[in-house]
Each structure stands twice: as C-alpha cells, then as structure tokens.
Amino acid sequence: VMMTRLNVEDLKQAASRLTMPVDSAEALPILASLSDVVVNAKALKVSKIGVVVAKLKKHTDKEVSHTAKELVGKWKRMIASQRAASKVAKAKQAKAEPTSPLKQKQQQQQQQQ
C-alpha cells in the first residue's frame, strides 16, 4: 500500500469538501483517498479533517459511515504508533547521552540559543 503525505492545506481542502451535507458519491472517493494518507496529530488538529471525518461516522449511508469509522480508527492507531516511536527515540537518546554536569550545562546553553 502506497502511503502519501498531504500538507495541511490539502487536508483542509478535503475537510471543506466533506462538510455536511455531503452525498455518498462525493464522500466515498474523498475518504478513499484519505485512507492512503500519512497523518500526524498536528496536521489532524490544524486541518480539522479528523473532526469532519468523525462526523461522517453518523452519515445515513452505511458505506460512508463504515469507511469513516475505519479511517478514524486507522488514524488513531497511526498517531499512537508515532507517539510510541517518539517516546522510544527519546528514551534511547537519553540513554546514549552522558549526563555529566558539564554535558548538562552545554545542553542548557544550546536550548537557550
């Protein structure tokens, strides 16, 4: 499966196209294209696409509601995986770095710059 990255503006455009009322013929291709998109929490929040797709879980067309439910679930798993990977990377970085007082002082100076 080829995963693509869309910028926030693309996600905002998709969100505006999916805003209710939207019929099945219009919603399904958009949802299908979004299923191949790699998202992060910031992009979902800024674009509001997550909120829009979540509302489609209540759509009267069962195929639209089912597809929206699957997409929201997929995005939740994707975000959870990204957060877990980030925690692991931070833990590995913390273990790899010496924590001498001199090193800590250097890190603080770098953060202040």
Side-chain angles (χ1 to χ4, degrees):
V1 174
M2 178 71 173
M3 299 299 277
T4 58
R5 289 197 178 273
L6 292 180
N7 65 34
V8 173
E9 289 306 313
D10 292 332
L11 293 173
K12 283 182 179 178
Q13 185 179 21
S16 70
R17 290 172 40 210
L18 286 172
T19 303
M20 296 277 204
V22 64
D23 66 9
S24 307
E26 191 176 358
L28 288 171
I30 298 169
L31 291 172
S33 68
L34 289 172
S35 70
D36 295 331
V37 174
V38 176
V39 295
N40 60 40
K42 184 177 180 181
L44 287 176
K45 186 173 185 176
V46 171
S47 68
K48 300 192 182 343
I49 189 71
V51 173
V52 172
V53 173
K55 286 181 182 177
L56 289 176
K57 294 191 304 184
K58 297 179 181 179
H59 197 278
T60 55
D61 183 299
K62 294 216 183 293
E63 190 175 358
V64 171
S65 64
H66 177 74
T67 305
K69 286 175 191 173
E70 285 184 343
L71 186 55
V72 169
K74 183 177 185 176
W75 285 346
K76 284 182 179 182
R77 290 187 300 277
M78 197 178 291
I79 300 303
S81 175
Q82 290 168 2
R83 287 185 176 150
S86 177
K87 285 182 182 179
V88 168
K90 286 179 184 176
K92 283 183 179 180
Q93 183 181 7
K95 278 186 173 182
E97 292 182 4
T99 56
S100 69
L102 178 61
K103 185 70 174 175
Q104 288 176 350
K105 188 171 184 175
Q106 289 172 342
Q107 287 174 344
Q108 289 173 348
Q109 289 172 347
Q110 287 175 351
Q111 289 175 352
Q112 291 173 355
Q113 293 176 353

